[in-house]
Amino acid sequence: MKVAVIQFPGSNCDQDAVWALRLVGLQAELVWHTEKSLEGFQAVLLPGGFSYGDYLRAGALAKFSPVMEEVRRLAERGYPVVGICNGFQVLTEAGLLPGALLANTNLHFTCKDVFLRVERTDLPFTNGYQPGQVLKIPIAHGEGRYYADAQTLERLEQNRQVVFRYVPSPSSPAEEGGGFNPNGSLNDIAGIVNERGNVLGMMPHPERAVEDALGSTDGRPFFSSLKRALGVVA
Amino acid sequence: MKYHVTLLIELKDGILDPQGRAVESILQGLQFKAQNVRVGRVLEMEVEAGSEAEASAVAHNIGKALANPVMEVFVVEAVKELV
Amino acid sequence: MKYHVTLLIELKDGILDPQGRAVESILQGLQFKAQNVRVGRVLEMEVEAGSEAEASAVAHNIGKALANPVMEVFVVEAVKELV
Amino acid sequence: MEGTLPPLLQETGIPLHEYQEIVRLLGREPGRLELYLFKVMWSEHCSYKNSRPLLKLLPKEGPAVLQGPGENAGVVEIGEGWAVAFKIESHNHPSAVEPVQGAATGVGGIIRDIVAMGARPIALLNSLRFGKLEGPEGDRTRYLVRGVVEGIAHYGNAIGIPTVGGEVYFHPDYQENPLVNAMCLGLLRVEELKKSRASLGRPVYYVGSKTGRDGIGGAAFASEELSEENESKRPSVQVGDPFMGKLTLEVTLEAIRRDLVEGVQDMGAAGLTSSLSELAHKSGLGIELNLDLVPKREAGMNPLELMLSESQERMVLVPRPGKEKELEALAAHYGLDAVPVAHTIAPPVFRVLHQGQVVAEVPTFALADCPTYTREGQEEPGLARLREADLSALPIPSDLQGILLRLLASPNLCSRAPIFERYDHQVGTNTVLVPGKGDAAILRIKGTRRGLAVKVDANPRYSKLSPRLGAMHALAEAARNVSVVGGKPLAYTDGLNCGNPETPQGYFELSETIAGLAEASAALGLPVVSGNVSLYNEGPNYRIPPTPMVGVVGLLEEVERRAELGLRKAGEFVVLIGSPEGHLGASEYLWVVHGQEAGSPPPLDLTMEAQAQAAIRNLIERGWVHTAHDVAEGGLAVALAEMCLPYGLGATLELRSHARPDALLYGEAPGRILFSVDQAHLQQAVKVLEAYGLPHSVLGQVGGDHLTLLLPKEQITWPVEALRRAWEQPLREVLP
Ligand SMILES: Nc1ncnc2c1ncn2[C@@H]1O[C@H](COP(=O)(O)OP(=O)(O)O)[C@@H](O)[C@H]1O
Ligand SMILES: [Mg+2]
């Protein structure tokens, strides 16, 4: 069972994603964006970074990469597809996930730990979490404000497509009142999934929270969930 | 023939534009009476086309390819033949 | 009276425009015959002024305040009275 | 040609005696283009003509040093076949002109120096100096801070190298002349070390961005004073393109990994001129460059523009015989230009062709052999008096408690989070001690148990009042910061930012700074492996304080054995290495509370300093100590407050001394380290300190949510929350 980690020109969390996938015992390989086939891969991960320098708009130019046709095909066939940070931006730009990611309301790149609540644990990406579990995971982005029009938002909520939501730090509820939402995302959305439940995008970086040395291991179940879903025996 | 094209890509009305707000507060701080500031992108480029109408159509297609319909609109602001 | 102002702020000629370069290569990959792509900012806003000429002058001063003279130029693209 | 000489000399600004030297080296009069090649290569920036004789004083050798100064970056071995390459570089003048792009291209430039050694960059740091935040000058300072921080973030974040540390100072003497120095650290396998070399007859490839009219004459410009008359000489602004930077980096490193290249050189200051002439010179060869082949962004560029352009994101690669096509294919894969614009030749000359004509031909040694200058220095009159000022009559303020809040809220001591939150400090997933958590950053090395600690430091107040002692403090403090997280300092890089060396004061400050560094290097056993000199940071009405930004790199054999600065466990004991009394001279307290910059920086006993650092490393290595912090600006009270902030945990501590209470709380002194240790290891830890012959005191215990200090005659208490509020806000207002 092999996960394809797509490398766009300007991706820079590609190696980190491979490291995290391998840490939980998954096979992972880098795939250059001009590849037209993902034959032999059972899942796809679009990593963080600045594809095409994030010029014009984060993720806007990567959607034209040849590999994206194939990513779309796998998504349609129900294979797990994950977009982290820039990968999430690419998935929305490519129309594989609804909505869009706009400039943070603070207008600058923000790198820090945030807290997320897991809203669903019946997905190939979250089966290792407890419902309502609060995770400490870092963000690092300048354009992470999730936006969708009112109907889309309502549909997302009704279908339980919001998977991760920003919440206040359990230790300092003082942030109540919105300070915990780092970018102004509507409904405090940090990550969503498509209707079918196989394409997930999230702004925080679970691959940066997979070892004690990195300050949190809360991202690790994200990858081990995927491993379980792909049926790899540990 | 070559045409110079100016394309504007802007946020849809109603979508929060923090950059516009930031510019607005700077301008108001400088005593300018500016309101409802919105910040978008302008693309200038040269395109090859057989006629102005064709150049317009090309510009239109480029706008479609580059703007994100979820939150943006685009306007072909100008198409001028280059000599 | 209120005027709607469109202001373009663009990089000076000769200054490297990495965004324009990246967009250009994507457009060419999509078979668009686009060249010399330059990406700038467009600002739309409303200003108070007694006349169109005055609104133009205000827009001009705003351009001066916002453009970075070391790298950018600005153009007052349009000034329209609002009803 | 002869007739045009006087105006040409005027135009290039080359002094007559240097011109005569050029004529002597050439055996003829140079042409205009040739003269410009000399102008940039003989600029201070490229030739170090005022600093080279002084830099010779610095110790450069050590058992671990694989590459000392002279290449694009220094390289130090760290075991298991790994080495680390690092260097610091200034981008002061470009950042003053255009802060965002100036800082961004500074970051891009230092990254390419590291890549040129064959190392994958793993960390960035920066050292920044700005003027005043208060008063009417504050607006410009805020504009610069915002721009510089944005530029660093823009480039570092996008290229995907974590910015893990740095330092920022505000001081009125930088009002007209901010400093922006960037440091980069890269990791390489020892066998992949690359140099700027080529063998005879090899094609020399130009890889990366196309050449435009960017920063024409930038290298020469950087060596001139910024003044109004200079306005017209300003080059067109260089724009950084981290996206191209990333592609260029990947192509270069992959070419090295696949062993396609024999030599690598970045194209930095003075572009083609410097990169190619140095490559040839270091190889003992000549080089022939065909300008018609250079990839160009703009039409109609003339030879002078092409030779002097400082367009960013360009590298020079020399393929191994037979690997040319593979190199071209590799670059094409990433969509980059890779063109053999030149080839090495036997006669040691730099020959430039344009449209079939030789437009310049000069001996490579002549370009490299700029005359050097040794001058007479003289200390700024009046400075000695200021330094010897008697501070014993200084009134002792009644509100000793409030002073801590003022110090924590002062621009030089308050929280840096508003800055470092804008930098991606984690990409690469190696940063195990992130900004704000420790005195130095720590990066683990995947696949090993090792880690690297790194920090850059310089105290302008100390250096202003005593350039020599200030430089010694800079090295001692940077090393101390590395030691208190558990790293054993290996070597350092130095960015020397000074005034005009052609004035007696400027030269004095430069030479004293280097002398101080040399003395501290020898005493601490730390060689310098790379560095940068930025002179002429001076104008008609100002001169910056000498600012030696010292970047120390240290090794942790076991990255798990490390310390951070926050107190984490109630009940632990807090121990101070060194004396509780500090000095008021040149202190932050003296400036913030008494509005004075006077007195001497504290004396520095380098033997004790080395012992203190060895002792804390020993305690961390044994696994007894997990929290340690050095006592720096603001003294003991500020250091203790900083230890309470990360986890909101207080402490009750007793300072036993009969010194004046302000010196006790806020005085400064080197060699002082605070750490916490649990009861089980307290006695053993104290024994270790005794074995090192170090003065020390057990101050008290961690606990509660207040910091309480018991002085001989009074007791002062602060809620940790109040300390935090004072400390967190000030820079948020600059960077909201
Ligand atoms: N202050 C210094 N201390 C030690 N080495 C220095 C210093 N300044 C410059 N060097 C060394 O001199 C060499 C030339 O520096 P520089 O011209 O800045 O290199 P580059 O052009 O690659 O940036 C480098 O090896 C550099 O590390
Ligand atoms: Mg170099």
Side-chain angles (χ1 to χ4, degrees):
Chain A
M1 293 289 157
K2 242 179 8 181
V3 182
V5 175
I6 309 294
Q7 271 184 312
F8 298 100
S11 293
N12 63 31
C13 303
D14 43 345
Q15 302 282 1
D16 300 351
V18 168
W19 174 264
L21 288 163
R22 291 186 181 157
L23 209 62
V24 302
L26 276 164
Q27 282 185 50
E29 253 175 56
L30 296 169
V31 176
W32 188 238
H33 74 119
T34 50
E35 282 302 321
K36 296 206 172 77
S37 160
L38 290 173
E39 189 72 49
F41 291 101
Q42 283 70 43
V44 183
L45 189 151
L46 307 189
F50 286 67
S51 54
Y52 290 95
D54 271 5
Y55 293 142
L56 197 64
R57 230 174 20 247
L61 302 182
K63 71 163 178 259
F64 299 112
S65 279
V67 77
M68 286 308 293
E69 267 320 298
E70 184 71 355
V71 172
R72 185 184 308 277
R73 231 165 46 84
L74 293 199
E76 279 161 10
R77 283 209 243 136
Y79 284 61
V81 174
V82 182
I84 297 173
C85 196
N86 194 233
F88 185 14
Q89 293 159 340
V90 176
L91 288 175
T92 57
E93 284 285 339
L96 285 168
L97 286 173
L101 293 147
L102 309 186
N104 297 350
T105 39
N106 66 13
L107 285 174
H108 58 77
F109 189 97
T110 304
C111 177
K112 62 176 188 186
D113 285 334
V114 298
F115 293 88
L116 309 178
R117 188 172 60 227
V118 183
E119 304 284 51
R120 254 179 95 168
T121 55
D122 59 342
L123 295 168
F125 321 97
T126 56
N127 60 56
Y129 290 113
Q130 299 301 312
Q133 192 177 337
V134 172
L135 317 177
K136 182 174 103 173
I137 305 229
I139 54 160
H141 62 247
E143 295 175 43
R145 172 167 50 117
Y146 185 78
Y147 166 83
D149 60 36
Q151 297 96 299
T152 310
L153 266 187
E154 201 182 316
R155 207 177 59 232
L156 284 175
E157 295 290 359
Q158 259 165 14
N159 296 342
R160 299 183 55 236
Q161 284 174 255
V162 178
V163 183
F164 298 109
R165 228 186 276 276
Y166 300 112
V167 291
S169 148
S171 62
S172 61
E175 288 179 312
E176 210 83 59
F180 58 87
N181 177 336
N183 50 30
S185 284
L186 295 179
N187 296 17
D188 301 324
I189 288 174
I192 57 168
V193 72
N194 64 349
E195 265 179 64
R196 185 169 173 176
N198 69 315
V199 179
L200 175 136
M202 65 192 296
M203 288 314 295
H205 285 274
E207 82 282 13
R208 295 186 181 188
V210 290
E211 291 161 274
D212 283 323
L214 300 174
S216 169
T217 54
D218 289 352
R220 201 163 168 141
F222 183 85
F223 298 98
S224 42
S225 297
L226 184 62
K227 178 172 148 187
R228 175 140 27 122
L230 291 175
V232 187
V233 200
Chain B
M1 274 163 294
K2 275 201 177 164
Y3 293 84
H4 183 99
V5 166
T6 307
L7 194 70
L8 307 184
I9 301 183
E10 306 184 312
L11 279 180
K12 281 183 185 166
D13 281 347
I15 296 196
L16 174 68
D17 175 10
Q19 213 188 334
R21 284 209 183 157
V23 171
E24 186 168 313
S25 82
I26 291 174
L27 289 178
Q28 287 172 354
L30 295 171
Q31 314 303 331
F32 284 107
K33 288 186 188 128
Q35 288 180 313
N36 293 329
V37 180
R38 310 280 289 170
V39 180
R41 288 191 180 71
V42 51
L43 282 84
E44 311 256 1
M45 65 189 85
E46 291 161 21
V47 302
E48 297 267 358
S51 66
E52 191 169 317
E54 197 195 306
S56 264
V58 171
H60 202 81
N61 288 334
I62 290 178
K64 252 196 183 148
L66 296 181
N68 182 338
V70 173
M71 78 288 197
E72 292 174 332
V73 289
F74 71 89
V75 186
V76 177
E77 175 78 2
V79 177
K80 265 181 244 150
E81 193 177 335
L82 286 172
V83 270
Chain C
M1 274 165 292
K2 274 201 177 165
Y3 293 84
H4 182 99
V5 166
T6 307
L7 196 67
L8 307 184
I9 300 185
E10 306 184 321
L11 285 176
K12 282 183 186 165
D13 281 348
I15 298 243
L16 173 69
D17 177 9
Q19 285 207 80
R21 206 195 139 271
V23 170
E24 180 171 318
S25 82
I26 290 288
L27 289 178
Q28 289 172 352
L30 295 171
Q31 314 303 331
F32 285 107
K33 288 187 188 127
Q35 285 181 315
N36 293 329
V37 180
R38 309 279 288 171
V39 180
R41 291 178 289 159
V42 50
L43 283 88
E44 311 255 4
M45 65 190 81
E46 291 161 20
V47 302
E48 298 268 358
S51 68
E52 191 170 317
E54 196 194 308
S56 265
V58 171
H60 202 82
N61 288 334
I62 289 178
K64 255 199 184 145
L66 295 180
N68 175 352
V70 183
M71 307 174 57
E72 294 175 327
V73 289
F74 69 90
V75 186
V76 178
E77 177 78 1
V79 177
K80 264 181 246 153
E81 193 179 335
L82 286 172
V83 269
Chain D
M1 203 185 270
E2 216 99 331
T4 63
L5 280 181
L8 203 52
L9 274 199
Q10 247 185 354
E11 177 189 325
T12 55
I14 293 183
L16 185 62
H17 65 278
E18 285 190 3
Y19 180 76
Q20 286 160 347
E21 178 64 13
I22 293 168
V23 173
R24 195 184 66 77
L25 287 166
L26 285 182
R28 62 176 166 85
E29 305 272 346
R32 178 164 182 262
L33 175 61
E34 291 172 333
L35 197 54
Y36 268 99
L37 301 189
F38 279 100
K39 158 136 176 116
V40 295
M41 291 306 294
W42 285 19
S43 67
E44 181 65 36
H45 191 87
C46 291
S47 73
Y48 294 85
K49 55 188 167 191
N50 290 291
S51 48
R52 191 143 32 117
L54 297 168
L55 289 171
K56 288 206 179 97
L57 291 173
L58 299 177
K60 301 179 183 68
E61 261 127 60
V65 176
L66 280 183
Q67 177 64 59
E71 285 289 326
N72 290 305
V75 182
V76 176
E77 230 180 318
I78 54 169
E80 295 183 46
W82 291 102
V84 55
F86 57 94
K87 184 172 190 272
I88 191 167
E89 187 139 297
S90 63
H91 234 211
N92 303 330
H93 295 254
S95 303
V97 175
E98 210 310 285
V100 179
Q101 294 303 332
T105 51
V107 172
I110 190 62
I111 289 171
R112 283 191 299 284
D113 272 327
I114 299 309
V115 170
M117 302 308 294
R120 175 165 287 274
I122 57 166
L124 288 164
L125 294 94
N126 54 77
S127 194
L128 312 177
R129 298 290 180 275
F130 300 105
K132 288 165 63 171
L133 283 171
E134 316 79 38
E137 296 104 329
D139 280 343
R140 169 140 178 98
T141 302
R142 276 184 288 277
Y143 160 78
L144 289 170
V145 174
R146 288 172 188 149
V148 165
V149 169
E150 183 187 331
I152 292 170
H154 163 66
Y155 204 101
N157 296 349
I159 198 169
I161 301 167
T163 300
V164 301
E167 45 134 27
V168 187
Y169 258 96
F170 297 88
H171 188 288
D173 290 357
Y174 298 109
Q175 191 65 41
E176 305 292 325
N177 195 134
L179 302 181
V180 176
N181 284 210
M183 175 174 171
C184 183
L185 194 73
L187 201 58
L188 68 154
R189 298 295 303 168
V190 169
E191 67 275 10
E192 286 179 347
L193 175 61
K194 278 287 166 278
K195 293 190 185 179
S196 175
R197 293 289 183 285
S199 47
L200 182 59
R202 300 302 308 142
V204 175
Y205 276 71
Y206 167 122
V207 176
S209 278
K210 295 187 197 312
T211 299
R213 289 189 177 90
D214 313 312
I216 303 280
F221 167 79
S223 305
E224 273 160 24
E225 297 173 36
L226 262 191
S227 71
E228 292 308 310
E229 304 87 79
N230 255 323
E231 194 90 29
S232 62
K233 285 196 197 165
R234 284 186 180 173
S236 80
V237 171
Q238 310 162 25
V239 171
D241 182 356
F243 173 56
M244 281 299 278
K246 167 82 172 159
L247 300 178
T248 311
L249 173 155
E250 294 299 343
V251 167
T252 307
L253 292 180
E254 197 171 330
I256 293 168
R257 194 175 49 74
R258 284 163 51 186
D259 202 23
L260 305 182
V261 290
E262 58 179 49
V264 183
Q265 167 65 43
D266 70 300
M267 245 189 265
L272 283 165
T273 303
S274 142
S275 58
L276 295 183
S277 68
E278 279 177 17
L279 172 74
H281 181 63
K282 286 180 182 164
S283 309
L285 296 169
I287 194 160
E288 184 176 294
L289 163 66
N290 185 347
L291 288 175
D292 302 337
L293 301 177
V294 171
K296 300 170 194 72
R297 194 174 81 228
E298 296 173 66
M301 290 185 69
N302 64 34
L304 185 61
E305 290 169 329
L306 287 165
M307 291 306 289
L308 301 193
S309 160
E310 296 195 348
S311 288
Q312 302 289 300
E313 283 80 53
R314 302 180 297 169
M315 294 292 287
V316 174
L317 301 184
V318 185
R320 291 199 186 283
K323 300 290 186 189
E324 294 82 357
K325 289 287 162 273
E326 253 181 273
L327 178 63
E328 288 172 20
L330 174 62
H333 175 80
Y334 284 96
L336 293 190
D337 283 313
V339 183
V341 295
H343 61 273
T344 48
I345 56 178
V349 297
F350 189 13
R351 184 183 298 147
V352 183
L353 303 180
H354 181 63
Q355 298 174 352
Q357 305 268 319
V358 175
V359 290
E361 179 164 334
V362 292
T364 46
F365 67 83
L367 289 175
D369 280 355
C370 174
T372 57
Y373 298 91
T374 307
R375 303 176 191 272
E376 284 296 316
Q378 202 198 347
E379 181 161 48
E380 174 82 37
L383 203 67
R385 228 188 37 238
L386 201 56
R387 184 169 52 237
E388 279 142 28
D390 178 13
L391 299 170
S392 61
L394 202 72
I396 298 175
S398 53
D399 182 19
L400 286 171
Q401 187 200 31
I403 287 174
L404 179 56
L405 300 175
R406 277 170 70 190
L407 280 171
L408 287 173
S410 77
N412 289 336
L413 298 180
C414 67
S415 167
R416 267 57 188 136
I419 295 178
F420 65 68
E421 271 179 16
R422 297 179 183 213
Y423 303 148
D424 188 338
H425 40 257
Q426 286 169 310
V427 59
T429 58
N430 295 320
T431 319
V432 299
L433 198 55
V434 296
K437 281 278 177 80
D439 282 329
I442 299 180
L443 294 130
R444 62 159 169 190
I445 301 168
K446 286 187 181 127
T448 75
R449 304 163 68 113
R450 288 162 197 263
L452 291 168
V454 54
K455 179 67 170 92
V456 56
D457 256 305
N459 181 324
R461 234 183 276 296
Y462 287 8
S463 278
K464 180 176 179 180
L465 286 160
S466 169
R468 179 186 290 246
L469 193 48
M472 294 166 65
H473 273 287
L475 181 58
E477 183 172 352
R480 194 184 318 128
N481 282 324
V482 163
S483 290
V484 298
V485 302
K488 180 168 174 26
L490 296 174
Y492 71 96
T493 182
D494 62 331
L496 302 180
N497 302 269
C498 289
N500 182 349
E502 296 166 35
T503 67
Q505 287 77 29
Y507 194 76
F508 175 85
E509 290 171 0
L510 175 68
S511 56
E512 284 286 292
T513 295
I514 294 174
L517 268 186
E519 187 180 338
S521 301
L524 298 174
L526 289 178
V528 65
V529 295
S530 62
N532 179 249
V533 173
S534 166
L535 303 183
Y536 301 94
N537 292 291
E538 173 162 0
N541 307 314
Y542 67 89
R543 179 171 75 251
I544 64 157
T547 313
M549 293 162 176
V550 175
V552 169
V553 175
L555 177 68
L556 292 88
E557 302 263 355
E558 293 275 348
V559 72
E560 293 305 320
R561 299 277 166 97
R562 61 175 184 265
E564 54 180 85
L565 67 77
L567 297 171
R568 272 177 294 178
K569 288 213 185 81
E572 282 196 336
F573 288 83
V574 177
V575 182
L576 169 70
I577 304 179
S579 153
E581 300 172 32
H583 298 257
L584 300 180
S587 68
E588 198 65 21
Y589 159 76
L590 190 62
W591 173 254
V592 171
V593 175
H594 299 276
Q596 286 188 46
E597 192 168 47
S600 169
L604 175 57
D605 177 339
L606 288 163
T607 313
M608 288 302 262
E609 177 71 53
Q611 290 297 90
Q613 293 187 25
I616 192 67
R617 289 197 305 269
N618 184 317
L619 294 172
I620 295 168
E621 258 163 47
R622 287 171 192 256
W624 299 345
V625 166
H626 307 283
T627 293
H629 184 31
D630 87 311
V631 182
E633 290 89 350
L636 259 184
V638 166
L640 288 165
E642 287 166 345
M643 295 174 82
C644 295
L645 292 170
Y647 298 96
L649 205 51
T652 302
L653 309 166
E654 191 179 348
L655 305 182
R656 265 167 264 125
S657 158
H658 293 288
R660 24 183 308 163
D662 54 351
L664 205 50
L665 292 168
Y666 307 116
E668 299 175 14
R672 297 199 294 174
I673 295 168
L674 287 159
F675 66 89
S676 73
V677 61
D678 61 17
Q679 177 134 37
H681 296 102
L682 178 63
Q683 287 318 314
Q684 289 160 293
V686 165
K687 284 219 182 70
V688 168
L689 300 182
E690 281 164 2
Y692 279 96
L694 289 165
H696 57 272
S697 33
V698 179
L699 301 181
Q701 272 181 293
V702 180
D705 52 11
H706 283 63
L707 173 63
T708 302
L709 297 182
L710 310 169
L711 273 57
K713 293 205 191 112
E714 58 192 306
Q715 166 180 339
I716 312 179
T717 293
W718 300 268
V720 175
E721 249 334 282
L723 299 174
R724 179 194 313 289
R725 274 196 304 274
W727 175 75
E728 258 176 4
Q729 261 319 301
L731 272 186
R732 282 269 175 239
E733 278 146 26
V734 182
L735 296 159

